Amino acid sequence: MTGDRFDILLVEDNSADVYLFRKALTSAGLNYELTVIEDGGAAMAFIRGEDEYAGSPLPDLAMLDLSLPKDDGLQVLKALRESERFADMPVILTSSSARPPSSLSESLRVARYIMKPPDLEEFLRIGTTVKEILLENQARSAGR
């Protein structure tokens, strides 16, 4: 995080959803830098800091779609949690349909699970949820 700008990692293969996430973050009044990765394989390279992702800044939050090409969202989440660098980063899981087992979400410390809503107004509310999580995490980090 630089000043009041948040670095957000979005792992999402649907370009319409990427567009809506940007709109949701903007409508929540967030100052953000969004890194978009379109598949689980590239997300794994990001976690390992390989290729174009070498030296990438540590995101303040990650949003992972469960249904991704190559490695799915749960595989990416497990890799995040196994990486010392990303272990404490808040993660929001998103899905159009499937919900992960709650025990798995708890053990992998998922900040929120969001079912992608079918209408625009509901989708825009995701920005407020992201903002709340970012501010909670910022306050927790400041208290350390």
Side-chain angles (χ1 to χ4, degrees), residues 3 6 12 18 27 30-31 38 46 51 60-61 63 73 75 77-78 84 88 100 106 113 115 132 138-139 141 144:
F6 294 97
E12 172 61 63
V18 171
S27 75
L30 275 172
N31 180 11
E38 296 180 355
F46 180 90
D51 306 325
D60 296 295
L61 177 139
M63 295 189 65
Q75 290 170 301
L77 176 59
K78 286 176 187 170
E84 195 174 308
D88 295 326
E106 287 168 22
Y113 173 78
M115 194 78 134
E132 288 169 6
Q138 186 180 47
S141 294
R144 284 185 194 152

Side-chain angles (χ1 to χ4, degrees), residues 79-123:
L80 282 170
R81 292 302 180 226
E82 289 168 2
S83 164
E84 195 174 308
R85 185 168 182 232
F86 299 103
D88 295 326
M89 182 177 58
V91 176
I92 297 173
L93 285 182
T94 65
S95 177
S96 298
S97 56
R99 185 175 183 100
S102 60
S103 61
L104 190 57
S105 294
E106 287 168 22
S107 69
L108 293 172
R109 299 183 323 280
V110 174
R112 296 277 196 304
Y113 173 78
I114 297 175
M115 194 78 134
K116 292 178 194 169
D119 81 2
L120 179 62
E121 214 161 290
E122 293 265 325
F123 211 109

